[in-house]
Amino acid sequence: MSEPSREARADALLSTERDERNHRLKVFLGAAPGVGKTYAMLSAARELKRQGVDVVVGLVETHGRSETAALLDGLEQLPRRSVNYRGRDFSEFDLDAALVRKPAMLLVDELAHRNLPGGRHERRWQDIAELLDAGIEVYTALNVQHLESLNDQVRRITGVTVRETVPDAFLDRARDIVLIDLPPRELIARLKQGKVYVPETAAAALDAFFSPTNLAALRELAVDTIAGHVDSDLREHMLARGGAMPVRRRVLAAIDGQAQSEYLVRVARRIAERRGAPWSVAFVDTGSTLDKARRERLESAMRLARRLGGDTVVLRGHAIADELIAHADREGVGQIILGRTRERVVARMLGRSLTQLLLRRGAHLELTIIATPTERAQARRKLRLVGMPGGVGRRGEYIYATLATLVAFALSFVADRYLSVANLSLIFLTAVLVVAVRTRMAVAVYTAILCFLGYNFFFAPPRYTLEIANFDDVLAVSLFLIAALVCSRLATRLASQVESLRAAHVYTRALLALGQRLATSTDADGIRKVGADALAQALRCEVAILARAADGNLQVAAAVPREMALLTQDLAAADWCERHAEQAGRYTDTLNAAPCWTLPFGNEENRRGVAALRFPKGNSEPDPDQRSLALAMVQDIGQALERARLGDELEGARVQGETERLRNALLSSVSHDLRSPLASMIGSAGTLASYGDQLPAGERRELLEAILGEGQRLDRYIQNLLDMTRLGHGTLKLDRDWTDATEIVVAAVNRLRKLFPSLRVETSLPHDTVLLFVHPALIEQALFNILENAARFTPADEAVQVIVHSSDGKLLIDVSDRGPGIPEAERALIFDMFYSVSRGDRATQGTGLGLAICRGMIGAHGGSVEALPRDGGGTTIRITLPLPAPPDAPP
């Protein structure tokens, strides 16, 4: 016993609170039919009705019992859904009507009922699960023989196989379980009085199911089930309140696909329930090929484990014991449950059994060996080599082994003239190896024995008898048999390992290829297309990926083949799958009439769509490897879609932040760069208006020039804003024409000299004509912005240099100043809009737009702009433009 941690107590307390809030199921559990489950359920419902609770009857079967039918008076009943099945009309529980009505408490009888085809779910317990998820409290009734984990025990007790079962995990959702029971004598008396079945059926039931022994055994099962749930609830409540509880270790059932696999799963469920421990089922794939019957039994056992609430895992490796122990150590397993399927004589012949290996290597584990008389008898009759790679083998494999042995005999008779008797054994040994590599262990042993007997009879002296003349020949023949058996086992194990590695390689390669292709897809549409292609290629089926459209309906976003059409059943299954984040359609118990198997991307909190897989009609259910691969690929695609969504949100947040930054910068720039010239213009105009006649002509001229200069400055600023708007919206029109680069530079320099008359500008222009196919006005404006920026940072006694030259088919225009320079980390930032660092494109009269506009205009012509350091201090802004072929040049 150990004290629970604070975290464990907190988890248990939260679990208890969730149970109080979410568990809205009450089950009236009967030890046998006719004990009064429905009567007790209706009585409890009427009591709630008297207390003012909104009680509605969804479905109740009275079976003609008048006292039960009388309890329905005064209770609202939902109309049933009509179903036509094989030409006959039936009525079923209407799940949709119940969801629309949504009462506080709903009565739904016969929890284990199997719905007729055409409904949303295959079983009624699934209907009730959806009601519970919708927040509706449900009362229901169930007989103990319908519990999935007790199916084998009920069959062994009564001789009757119950087909309609309910997973034990569903019963875990019950808030209350009420045991309804009658002593066997009273129940038999009710049966004879016709209160359970009609007289004709009652007579047959008395002779079969309703014997006193059977009823007593069923009562014991019911009490044991209730006790297990009470014990589990008690543990949770004690842990929530800080009580000491034993450490719970996981229970692991190891199955091999033989007939006892489902029985082991049910035993594991019961043991885990009593211990209150998590449990799982494992199968070790040694690489050997399973026959169809064994594979189907394995898949059936795995499905049963999942229905009962356990986890399933497929391990890969040639050493079963080592794989189980390694998995137990990783997952915290305390108990391993095994089936006794190998007899001692086989264990002695082939080495230690799986049980012996586990006992020797897993001393820290608790082993439970489950023996079934049927399986032991069957194992003795067939001498199955369970636990060895490959199993018994098929008839064709024995024929192949016989032919290989005959070929070895023929070669030995030919070689007998040239080789010694000892060397002939190598031919037979080769035959054993060939058979061992291509078949199973039992077939290889069969081949080794045939070769041993033939070698002894035909070639070991004295020939044509099984007697051996001398000791040396006895030793040679014995060593041959030992070598043949050892080599056959090693060869079979090697072949099994290769097969296992091949399967693992296919699995890994498919996931790796998917991951590589997803890594190159940045948007959701691309991810869906890549995912559909990868699923279709790996699983060899048709694939459609559906996503919610703006109108809320699921639509096909990607499909392989593209013309794949989904039926109405497929769309209904996909919609249910996406809303509940659970599998639906084919190979499931929900809407299994749909041809497609639908798998959800994401979970209920993050729904990312659905993958619909359509396998050919003749295909059986996907094996565990295919199912595991499909689920893993769907999970990877869902995670990629979630990453794309987060990326979009992050980009949206970045854009929003950038927009906010630009808005603030724009407001700051407008408040400064509009108010400053306007204030100067207003001041000059006000002075002229008030004192114009009194001012000398020179001062009046200075004021007018100030108004003109500030107006031109304001005009340039507004033009920059308009140019940035056109660049941002992509509406800047390029009216290209052939022009001389020297003319553009001279025009820009002349504009600069008008704005800065005292500035010295030094130019170095090419002697030859350099033609550009550009929009001349835009290139001139871009160059002027750079010149203006350089002029503002150049000291009064320094000159701005403009150098024009060509290199590698490009025209380079360098504008250099002797300003303070720009740090390397900020050279790329000066081309951002409203860059406001004083050393960049923002002096006392800068707008913060000049270089940003320059980059946009030059970039529209296929060129670039960059900032470079200048030797001796200062900055060089370089414009690079492509030089196209002259218009008169030959093509």
Side-chain angles (χ1 to χ4, degrees):
M1 302 289 283
S2 62
E3 290 293 333
S5 65
R6 294 177 59 186
E7 291 80 3
R9 291 199 302 271
D11 291 342
L13 186 57
L14 288 174
S15 176
T16 303
E17 292 180 355
R18 284 194 298 267
D19 290 347
E20 297 289 340
R21 185 171 60 254
N22 297 329
H23 287 202
R24 301 180 175 90
L25 177 65
K26 186 171 186 176
V27 178
F28 293 82
L29 181 67
V35 295
K37 305 179 301 299
T38 304
Y39 189 92
M41 180 177 66
L42 287 171
S43 300
R46 293 182 68 86
E47 178 60 29
L48 289 177
K49 182 73 173 179
R50 282 193 292 270
Q51 296 175 11
V53 178
D54 181 19
V55 178
V56 174
V57 176
L59 183 142
V60 166
E61 298 290 354
T62 63
H63 298 289
R65 302 164 190 158
S66 57
E67 62 272 20
T68 303
L71 294 178
L72 290 171
D73 293 340
L75 295 177
E76 178 185 349
Q77 300 185 49
L78 291 178
R80 299 191 184 187
R81 178 172 56 91
S82 298
V83 179
N84 185 276
Y85 181 65
R86 294 181 179 178
R88 296 179 59 188
D89 292 329
F90 298 90
S91 61
E92 287 275 27
F93 170 61
D94 194 337
L95 174 59
D96 291 326
L99 292 172
V100 172
R101 174 61 176 80
K102 199 173 184 180
M105 200 273 286
L106 185 71
L107 273 65
V108 184
D109 203 2
E110 297 190 355
L111 177 62
H113 173 74
R114 182 188 295 271
N115 296 327
L116 292 174
R120 184 180 309 168
H121 301 295
E122 184 180 3
R123 305 296 182 91
R124 182 164 293 166
W125 64 265
Q126 294 173 303
D127 293 339
I128 295 178
E130 188 167 344
L131 293 170
L132 297 175
D133 293 337
I136 301 174
E137 184 174 354
V138 178
Y139 279 15
T140 188
L142 175 73
N143 286 323
V144 70
Q145 71 265 22
H146 293 289
L147 282 176
E148 183 71 62
S149 65
L150 302 179
N151 193 263
D152 286 337
Q153 292 190 51
V154 171
R155 182 171 61 248
R156 188 168 60 251
I157 292 170
T158 64
V160 176
T161 300
V162 179
R163 303 296 181 186
E164 296 180 335
T165 58
V166 176
D168 294 54
F170 179 76
L171 214 61
D172 294 339
R173 301 189 63 173
R175 181 183 59 199
D176 299 310
I177 301 178
V178 180
L179 178 61
I180 308 299
D181 186 25
L182 281 177
R185 292 182 181 179
E186 293 185 19
L187 181 57
I188 292 174
R190 284 174 52 84
L191 186 67
K192 291 179 178 179
Q193 295 169 6
K195 295 183 178 180
V196 180
Y197 298 127
V198 296
E200 295 78 6
T201 307
L206 283 171
D207 295 334
F209 194 87
F210 283 81
S211 67
T213 303
N214 289 351
L215 293 177
L218 291 174
R219 293 182 75 196
E220 183 178 353
L221 286 179
V223 172
D224 188 49
T225 300
I226 292 292
H229 280 272
V230 170
D231 186 54
S232 177
D233 292 342
L234 178 61
R235 280 194 298 269
E236 289 292 336
H237 284 287
M238 288 182 64
L239 186 59
R241 286 157 178 76
M245 294 298 295
V247 178
R248 299 188 302 173
R249 300 293 301 276
R250 180 176 287 273
V251 176
L252 175 67
I255 63 174
D256 55 9
Q258 300 296 350
Q260 86 287 354
S261 296
E262 291 193 12
Y263 177 74
L264 289 177
V265 170
R266 293 187 175 94
V267 170
R269 158 69 193 189
R270 291 196 295 269
I271 292 176
E273 173 68 20
R274 293 191 184 99
R275 293 192 170 195
W279 64 287
S280 57
V281 175
F283 168 73
V284 180
D285 182 4
T286 59
S288 58
T289 304
L290 302 181
D291 57 60
K292 181 178 179 181
R294 185 176 175 187
R295 186 172 63 252
E296 290 177 351
R297 288 194 296 266
L298 176 63
E299 293 172 1
S300 177
M302 290 292 194
R303 288 196 302 271
L304 174 62
R306 289 190 289 268
R307 287 201 307 271
L308 294 178
D311 299 326
T312 59
V313 61
V314 176
L315 308 174
R316 287 184 171 84
H318 68 277
I320 299 177
D322 292 343
E323 295 299 327
L324 289 176
I325 292 174
H327 176 74
D329 292 339
R330 287 195 305 269
E331 301 298 328
V333 173
Q335 180 181 12
I336 297 181
I337 300 173
L338 300 171
R340 186 177 181 181
T341 55
R342 182 191 293 188
E343 297 306 308
R344 293 181 180 179
V345 62
V346 178
R348 286 197 300 268
M349 182 175 67
L350 299 178
R352 289 188 176 90
S353 67
L354 175 61
T355 305
Q356 293 170 334
L357 291 173
L358 288 174
L359 287 172
R360 181 172 181 174
R361 301 176 187 176
H364 58 290
L365 298 172
E366 178 184 348
L367 298 183
T368 302
I369 312 301
I370 305 298
T372 58
T374 303
E375 282 302 308
R376 294 180 62 185
Q378 187 179 14
R380 291 193 184 95
R381 289 195 302 269
K382 296 186 176 181
L383 196 62
R384 291 188 178 275
L385 305 181
V386 177
M388 296 301 301
V392 176
R394 296 183 288 269
R395 181 180 301 175
E397 294 175 340
Y398 286 104
I399 295 175
Y400 172 79
T402 304
L403 292 176
T405 304
L406 293 176
V407 171
F409 278 131
L411 294 176
S412 297
F413 280 120
V414 174
D416 188 27
R417 303 177 183 178
Y418 312 102
L419 301 177
S420 64
V421 173
N423 289 331
L424 291 179
S425 63
L426 297 178
I427 297 176
F428 291 103
L429 189 59
T430 302
V432 173
L433 289 175
V434 170
V435 172
V437 169
R438 296 180 61 88
T439 60
R440 307 180 180 211
M441 180 64 191
V443 183
V445 172
Y446 164 77
T447 307
I449 294 174
L450 282 183
C451 291
F452 166 75
L453 295 176
Y455 175 69
N456 186 8
F457 186 82
F458 290 105
F459 301 103
R463 300 195 176 197
Y464 310 112
T465 178
L466 294 179
E467 296 181 1
I468 302 177
N470 55 60
F471 178 76
D472 291 340
D473 292 335
V474 172
L475 181 61
V477 172
S478 300
L479 290 177
F480 165 75
L481 178 60
I482 294 173
L485 291 174
V486 172
C487 290
S488 64
R489 179 167 185 175
L490 293 177
T492 304
R493 174 176 291 182
L494 178 61
S496 300
Q497 291 177 358
V498 170
E499 185 66 25
S500 178
L501 289 174
R502 184 180 294 114
H505 176 67
V506 171
Y507 182 94
T508 305
R509 185 176 59 185
L511 291 180
L512 178 61
L514 174 63
Q516 291 174 342
R517 297 179 65 183
L518 289 176
T520 61
S521 301
T522 57
D523 62 327
D525 291 337
I527 290 172
R528 293 187 183 102
K529 186 178 184 305
V530 166
D533 292 338
L535 285 169
Q537 182 178 359
L539 301 175
R540 298 178 182 177
C541 63
E542 296 181 354
V543 178
I545 293 182
L546 299 91
R548 291 281 177 192
D551 58 1
N553 295 323
L554 280 177
Q555 293 183 357
V556 176
V560 177
R562 292 185 178 180
E563 61 275 9
M564 177 182 177
L566 297 179
L567 302 179
T568 304
Q569 299 96 313
D570 294 328
L571 294 175
D575 183 77
W576 193 93
C577 172
E578 199 265 350
R579 292 183 183 278
H580 295 81
E582 296 179 6
Q583 302 176 30
R586 192 176 179 184
Y587 311 131
T588 70
D589 294 334
T590 301
L591 297 172
N592 53 13
C596 289
W597 178 29
T598 59
L599 304 174
F601 296 126
N603 50 40
E604 291 186 5
E605 288 76 22
N606 298 309
R607 300 186 180 99
R608 304 268 71 88
V610 175
L613 312 180
R614 180 186 295 163
F615 292 87
K617 290 185 178 180
N619 280 26
S620 59
E621 182 173 350
D623 58 38
D625 285 340
Q626 284 183 305
R627 182 180 289 271
S628 176
L629 177 59
L631 295 175
M633 294 181 72
V634 166
Q635 182 179 13
D636 287 352
I637 296 170
Q639 290 175 349
L641 290 171
E642 180 65 14
R643 285 196 300 271
R645 182 188 68 82
L646 293 176
D648 291 341
E649 291 183 355
L650 183 61
E651 178 65 17
R654 188 193 68 80
V655 170
Q656 183 179 2
E658 183 69 13
T659 302
E660 183 66 18
R661 186 185 71 81
L662 292 177
R663 186 185 71 84
N664 294 333
L666 177 62
L667 292 175
S668 175
S669 177
V670 168
S671 64
H672 177 273
D673 296 308
L674 285 182
R675 290 180 61 186
S676 296
L678 284 175
S680 179
M681 294 168 64
I682 292 171
S684 299
T687 302
L688 288 173
S690 300
Y691 308 103
D693 296 337
Q694 304 173 15
L695 294 175
E699 293 183 8
R700 288 199 302 269
R701 182 174 181 81
E702 289 179 3
L703 291 174
L704 290 174
E705 288 178 353
I707 293 173
L708 178 61
E710 293 299 333
Q712 290 173 346
R713 175 186 167 191
L714 187 60
D715 180 68
R716 289 195 304 274
Y717 179 73
I718 294 174
Q719 185 61 43
N720 283 341
L721 288 177
L722 293 176
D723 289 341
M724 284 308 305
T725 302
R726 295 190 188 101
L727 287 171
H729 291 280
T731 59
L732 187 66
K733 183 179 179 181
L734 296 181
D735 188 7
R736 293 178 181 265
D737 195 5
W738 291 99
T739 186
D740 186 4
T742 300
E743 294 181 2
I744 295 177
V745 174
V746 171
V749 170
N750 290 336
R751 288 178 57 189
L752 180 69
R753 283 173 174 160
K754 292 180 181 179
L755 187 62
F756 299 95
S758 60
L759 178 69
R760 288 191 301 117
V761 180
E762 299 176 356
T763 60
S764 176
L765 304 176
H767 298 289
D768 299 329
T769 301
V770 180
L771 292 179
L772 295 173
F773 189 62
V774 296
H775 189 151
L778 292 181
I779 299 299
E780 179 187 333
Q781 180 64 38
L783 179 57
F784 176 77
N785 288 348
I786 294 176
L787 289 170
E788 183 184 8
N789 185 76
R792 296 186 186 282
F793 287 95
T794 298
D797 56 343
E798 296 288 345
V800 174
Q801 292 185 352
V802 181
I803 301 175
V804 181
H805 59 101
S806 59
S807 175
D808 298 330
K810 296 179 180 179
L811 179 70
L812 306 179
I813 304 175
D814 293 343
V815 178
S816 304
D817 62 58
R818 286 296 183 184
I822 303 174
E824 182 178 358
E826 300 185 25
R827 287 173 192 158
L829 299 177
I830 65 173
F831 298 102
D832 292 343
M833 288 189 296
F834 307 111
Y835 179 67
S836 58
V837 176
S838 62
R839 291 170 295 190
D841 181 25
R842 183 68 187 264
T844 54
Q845 294 183 343
T847 64
L849 292 172
L851 294 184
I853 294 173
C854 174
R855 181 178 61 176
M857 290 177 174
I858 298 299
H861 288 82
S864 62
V865 185
E866 59 181 330
L868 303 172
R870 185 183 182 187
D871 294 337
T875 302
T876 296
I877 304 295
R878 172 172 291 174
I879 298 176
T880 303
L881 289 169
L883 286 175
D888 56 349

